[in-house]
Amino acid sequence: MTIYQNLIAGEWVGSDATKNINPSDTNEVVGLYADGTVEDTKNAIAAAKAAFPAWSRSGIWERHVILKKAGDEIMARKDELGALLAREEGKTLPEAIGETIRASQIFEFFAGEALRLAGEIVPSVRPDIGVEITRDPLGVIGIITPWNFPIAIPAWKLAPALCYGNTVVFKPAELVPACSWAIVDILNRAGLPKGVLNLVMGRGSVVGQTMLDSPDVSGITFTGSTGTGRRVAAASIEHNRRFQLEMGGKNPMVVLDDADLDVAVEAAANSGFFSTGQRCTASSRLIVTEGIHDKFVAALTAKLETLVVDNAMKSGTHIGPVVDEKQLKTDTDYIEIGRKEGAKLAFGGELIKRETPGFYLQPTLFTEATNQMRISREEIFGPVVSVIRVRDYEEALATANDTPFGLSAGIATTSLKHATHFKRNSEAGMVMVNLPTAGVDFHVPFGGRKGSSYGPREQGKYAAEFYTSVKTAYTLA
Ligand code: ADP
């Protein structure tokens, strides 16, 4: 089998490899992907540092053309790359193709942003002096990504990093190197000069840690677990480096008595269970007022009955497998914790067997949960959702905000008054009215508050806040 190698200083290198396994069929090896070493990582950082002066001064048309070419190729290959994504991560083929299209759109957006780079010229408060405010690239950006969006998250970090003139060392998650390899291959062939983009696949404790420990990495953008996020923060403060963290969520979806039941059920089923609940924006707490509670639970349970859990590549599958054995154990451990805490298992909870051996788990719904239970406070990252019964809107809002996280929050209501109040008073970075908590646009800011995020927002024109450093220049006229 071919080994997909790391890209360091414009050369494909690496002979030790790890198997990329399909979670829908554990007999299938998706490919062999290089296992980067400390030395590989140091070489990649040195290459990115050496490439920075020239790339930081490159023309915006060159950057535009490269990002546009990459976006176009990803779109042209959406079915093939989508299938690769579904095979390595386990989300359904339509979801995986949708994510691939999203990655292409992100490159298109930042191809445009490259042409819109601008500064400000303002008068000084002193006579005869002019002031210019411009944005400089940061330097070498370390990109560390998780397994749950194997092509979209790399795209939304790589595209702005390169657009604003930075060079990159990119370390994807161990479980899903295939899409990252493909995207780097595409960018490399699109014409990036040697060393501007370096790919080092491998372990977090080896490749990731070497990036954290390097004084030559000027910024780290990280999406992953809270524990690793804290390590990124501690190491970055040590090096006086800029960092951006996207971590967990325990996103609430409030359902009020006056909600349109179909809208509420669709939103809850989508954001709780699609992509196997493995989205940081998934709703894992459904906070439902008394008047609609029983009707809502009955309708949601009926909907769950219709959802097919099976191989991600099969047509008709609504929910693919859990990503790997470790995550499956986390999910089943939390199901056990929920039972012991006294929540009522209203649906699912069992492992299922399919034609191909994979990590299949029923969508799982707990009712009669309280907001103090561990299943309501800790991120599970699987298809496990709890329903919390509340008296009224005021209690619903207080419960929604009573969480260490603050990424996304939703409300299902037909009341303009409650929708408006919720948008204003939710302590989340993203608020959805009559929509799933997951499913965001690519041209507007993405990010959260409290324990979910740290640093500037990602995506859209707000991405510049992380990937550039503002300079104020004064000139005596
Ligand atoms: P998850 O539990 O979802 O896998 P992690 O935070 O462990 O979340 O992983 C997110 C990313 O962080 C992955 O690319 C992983 O390899 C990387 N990572 C893990 N440990 C470290 C570390 N010590 N230093 C830097 N990166 C790490």
Side-chain angles (χ1 to χ4, degrees):
M1 234 177 178
T2 334
I3 294 178
Y4 291 90
Q5 294 173 301
N6 284 321
L7 182 69
I8 298 171
E11 308 297 328
W12 294 104
V13 295
S15 48
D16 290 338
T18 302
K19 284 182 186 161
N20 181 356
I21 302 290
N22 179 350
S24 296
D25 179 357
T26 52
N27 291 327
E28 193 204 353
V29 178
V30 177
L32 291 178
Y33 287 85
D35 207 358
T37 61
V38 168
E39 207 193 332
D40 289 335
T41 316
K42 287 185 172 166
N43 290 340
I45 296 168
K49 189 179 177 191
F52 178 70
W55 182 249
S56 66
R57 290 192 296 270
S58 60
I60 56 172
W61 182 247
E62 181 184 359
R63 296 183 213 168
H64 167 83
V65 168
I66 291 169
L67 295 172
K68 174 90 174 67
K69 259 194 190 172
D72 289 347
E73 182 172 338
I74 293 168
M75 190 64 92
R77 293 172 56 193
K78 66 180 171 37
D79 295 336
E80 172 218 335
L81 293 173
L84 187 64
L85 199 170
R87 281 165 60 223
E88 72 170 340
E89 199 267 353
K91 66 182 61 173
T92 66
L93 187 59
E95 287 175 327
I97 293 172
E99 185 184 329
T100 307
I101 293 170
R102 168 62 52 102
S104 161
Q105 291 165 327
I106 291 166
F107 278 102
E108 297 286 343
F109 178 85
F110 283 103
E113 284 299 277
L115 299 180
R116 283 189 286 269
L117 281 169
E120 288 178 80
I121 295 180
V122 298
S124 167
V125 292
R126 292 166 284 167
D128 301 330
I129 291 177
V131 182
E132 290 162 34
I133 303 162
T134 52
R135 286 185 181 276
D136 287 342
L138 218 51
V140 176
I141 301 282
I143 296 181
I144 302 178
T145 57
W147 50 258
N148 64 330
F149 283 93
I151 198 161
I153 294 181
W156 85 48
K157 294 181 189 297
L158 287 166
L162 297 169
C163 164
Y164 296 114
N166 300 284
T167 56
V168 172
V169 178
F170 169 34
K171 189 216 113 43
E174 294 90 315
L175 285 177
V176 293
C179 288
S180 292
W181 189 93
I183 216 174
V184 169
D185 171 51
I186 289 169
L187 279 163
N188 185 45
R189 283 186 291 97
L192 280 178
K194 280 183 197 295
V196 170
L197 170 59
N198 302 273
L199 171 70
V200 194
M201 301 172 286
R203 273 169 293 159
S205 55
V206 177
V207 177
Q209 193 61 44
T210 306
M211 288 160 71
L212 301 195
D213 294 341
S214 170
D216 292 330
V217 176
S218 312
I220 291 198
T221 174
F222 167 84
T223 303
S225 65
T226 305
T228 310
R230 290 211 177 103
R231 295 176 86 111
V232 173
S236 297
I237 285 167
E238 180 101 349
H239 290 291
N240 203 18
R241 164 203 298 144
R242 189 178 293 182
F243 60 100
Q244 175 182 57
L245 311 175
E246 291 299 344
M247 300 173 290
K250 196 71 197 173
N251 309 298
M253 153 88 50
V254 168
V255 180
L256 297 185
D257 286 356
D258 62 24
D260 178 318
L261 191 62
D262 291 343
V263 166
V265 168
E266 278 307 312
N270 175 317
S271 49
F273 301 101
F274 286 8
S275 298
T276 322
Q278 298 174 155
R279 294 184 285 192
C280 44
T281 48
S283 312
S284 45
R285 293 184 297 143
L286 304 176
I287 300 166
V288 188
T289 48
E290 269 168 354
I292 198 171
H293 179 277
D294 294 356
K295 262 189 291 181
F296 173 77
V297 168
L300 181 58
T301 312
K303 170 84 187 173
L304 296 184
E305 296 275 5
T306 68
L307 297 182
V308 177
V309 181
D310 206 334
N311 192 311
M313 296 296 286
K314 257 192 178 172
S315 81
T317 296
H318 297 107
I319 301 176
V322 171
V323 75
D324 72 348
E325 196 161 7
K326 184 167 156 251
Q327 183 60 50
L328 186 65
K329 178 160 185 336
T330 303
D331 297 350
T332 50
D333 283 354
Y334 271 109
I335 293 170
E336 197 45 40
I337 289 167
R339 279 193 174 117
K340 288 207 177 114
E341 285 179 311
K344 185 177 151 221
L345 188 63
F347 191 87
E350 300 295 327
L351 299 183
I352 30 189
K353 283 214 176 333
R354 289 294 176 251
E355 249 170 64
T356 47
F359 308 111
Y360 299 108
L361 174 64
Q362 287 180 313
T364 300
L365 187 71
F366 280 109
T367 53
E368 310 306 336
T370 70
N371 200 42
Q372 305 318 315
M373 291 176 177
R374 284 183 61 194
I375 54 165
S376 304
R377 299 209 81 76
E378 297 169 17
E379 186 178 50
I380 301 173
F381 221 61
V384 184
V385 172
S386 41
V387 178
I388 301 166
R389 188 197 296 259
V390 291
R391 259 185 335 274
D392 52 18
Y393 169 74
E394 283 69 30
E395 190 185 351
L397 174 67
T399 306
N401 284 338
D402 176 13
T403 169
F405 297 105
L407 187 57
S408 181
I411 188 165
T413 180
T414 51
S415 152
L416 181 61
K417 179 177 143 201
H418 286 140
T420 306
H421 191 272
F422 190 78
K423 280 190 276 184
R424 288 199 183 133
N425 292 284
S426 166
E427 293 169 5
M430 296 175 293
V431 184
M432 310 289 185
V433 179
N434 293 321
L435 286 167
T437 53
V440 295
D441 284 359
F442 61 87
H443 66 310
V444 288
F446 177 96
R449 298 182 183 176
K450 299 199 274 189
S452 289
S453 305
Y454 186 91
R457 288 286 183 264
E458 300 200 77
Q459 304 207 58
K461 63 178 183 330
Y462 286 71
E465 296 301 324
F466 178 75
Y467 293 98
T468 63
S469 182
V470 170
K471 180 179 280 163
T472 317
Y474 296 80
T475 310
L476 179 63

